Amino acid sequence: MSCPCRAIDESRRIITGRYAALRICKASNGIQAGRNARRCSLMQQHPDLPEAFAELGVEVRFLKALVKLNFVKPSDIQLAMIPHALEGKDILGQARTGTGKTAAFGLPILQNIDPDGRLQAICLVPTRELAVQVTAELTRLSQCTDLHIVAVYGGQKVATQLHQLGRKPHFVVGTPGRVMDFMQRGVLNLQSLKFAVLDEVDRMLDIGFREDIRNILGRIHGDHQTIFVSATIEGEIRRLARRYMTDPMELDVSKDQMTVDAIDQSYVTAEPRDKYRLLRLILKQEQPPICIVFCNTKAVARKITKKLHADDINAMEIHGDLAQNQRDRVMASFRNHKIDVLVATDLAARGIDVSEISHIINYDIPQDPEVYVHRIGRTARMGAKGVAITFVGNDQGKELTTIEILINEQVRHREVEGFKASEPWQPPAEQAAAQQAAEAPAKPAPKLTLASKFKTRRRRRL
Ligand code: ADP
Ligand code: MG
């Protein structure tokens, strides 16, 4: 039977917008009239299982796990992706942070894995923390099956992971470096894989990982399904990603809005020498239950954590200079809500899912606007609320504007009670030039383009 939505897929291959998910889902259900009949009898037999997932074609052994996890309704990306992924299509999926992308690719792949077969699926992720987290989520989703999922990542003993690989996993989740290492040792054979996933695909295909990814994905011979997901997938990465896929379907349920509504986003103008004072004031006034402070460098993360300790604040730092066991300890304490403030570099910006993070503070504004989307996406996950505050120097208006253009939203200026920013420092020669310019007769206003309009507004606000 032909599907009305399929016509859109074939001609445009891109389905966007908030309602796309529902449209796709309904159309897919149209194809599956037989499946619907089976579902009706299934729901009569098991009325407690989540029907909305059953409608997408999810089998009972996974529906049972969803009940335990309290997943009642699929998110937009799950609605959009699950039916097509179950049919074996290659998919490039974009959806906002914290909207359940792991289950969107995880459920259909797990369901299509042959439990009697050997290794069939791999998911590559950018950080070790994410490898552990994605493995945990996939394990929870397959808790009512005999499927076996293993994480491989650097920093942990090779022997431990070798032992786990020896237990014949069906699904491996790993960071590229360690996966390559195991491939070279001949203990990880990807030739007969049936499913390949890149989580945080834009990060995985950026210059740092690109070569490794080419190497790893190049090892898979034979027919396989490829699914790439992220919250941010821009032009060049999109083109590059398509090269690894066969006639991919692009599902974008984040087009109109890249960040979640439930995040209250604001910025405070602060010079570098004011930032710590400002951070202390915000922590005191807002009393965030759990908060991440993002810095651009390890040195700043270390320095702030020291100062917070001196001020008796329960904080821990996480960055690439810590040994893996220290990183694991910090993440475990943070997940168990044993620390109030996590001071982090962008190592923790991607994918990390810790419930109830109430505040994200960008102590340093990120250089890359996409990093902003990922950092603030650590809060307001799956419908919760969150606050994101960014410290912006007087000369950083351009960076803020680039972020606003990317997220298509204006970040509001926030006043913090009791905080007054210092005057921006200017060398004496520049001061004189600035004064001269102020006294010069006004020039006629130039014609505004969208970008220059943003810039002008920013200059006025800062
Ligand atoms: P993303 O990868 O989009 O940032 P995750 O896959 O990490 O998001 O999911 C965020 C959180 O939401 C996880 O804790 C996950 O268990 C939970 N979650 C995912 N899908 C659902 C759902 N349909 N209902 C309830 N919770 C869900
Ligand atoms: Mg994710």
Side-chain angles (χ1 to χ4, degrees), residues 268-381:
V268 186
T269 314
E271 288 302 297
R273 62 184 176 282
D274 299 329
K275 286 196 203 174
Y276 184 73
R277 185 164 54 91
L278 176 60
L279 176 65
R280 285 287 291 115
L281 263 176
I282 291 176
L283 292 178
K284 193 162 164 219
Q285 287 171 12
E286 300 262 321
Q287 300 274 321
I290 316 182
C291 150
I292 307 185
V293 176
F294 278 110
C295 314
N296 287 355
T297 63
K298 302 169 198 170
V300 174
R302 232 177 277 126
K303 195 174 78 190
I304 298 174
T305 317
K306 247 191 211 150
K307 287 186 176 178
L308 288 171
H309 286 167
D311 284 337
D312 248 356
I313 290 174
N314 183 10
M316 274 181 154
E317 63 197 72
I318 187 156
H319 48 72
D321 274 357
L322 300 190
Q324 187 56 39
N325 59 355
Q326 290 172 301
R327 274 163 65 168
D328 291 345
R329 255 203 314 275
V330 174
M331 280 316 292
S333 307
F334 192 54
R335 271 182 212 291
N336 298 329
H337 300 180
K338 286 193 179 138
I339 46 177
D340 304 330
V341 181
L342 181 70
V343 184
T345 57
D346 286 319
L347 186 87
R350 291 268 181 173
I352 295 301
D353 179 51
V354 173
S355 59
E356 294 160 34
I357 296 174
S358 60
H359 285 61
I360 299 297
I361 298 178
N362 289 314
Y363 193 89
D364 298 318
I365 188 168
Q367 296 301 306
D368 176 351
E370 293 183 4
V371 168
Y372 174 85
V373 174
H374 290 277
R375 283 185 182 181
I376 72 163
R378 297 316 99 217
T379 183
R381 295 179 73 74

Side-chain angles (χ1 to χ4, degrees), residues 1 32 41 47 89 135 150 153 197 214 239 258 260 271 328 366-367 386 397 407 440 449 459:
M1 200 201 303
Q32 298 164 9
S41 79
K89 290 200 176 309
T135 307
V150 159
Y153 53 91
V197 179
R214 203 173 58 80
R239 273 193 301 282
M258 207 169 263
V260 182
E271 288 302 297
D328 291 345
Q367 296 301 306
I407 64 173
T449 60
R459 251 181 253 126

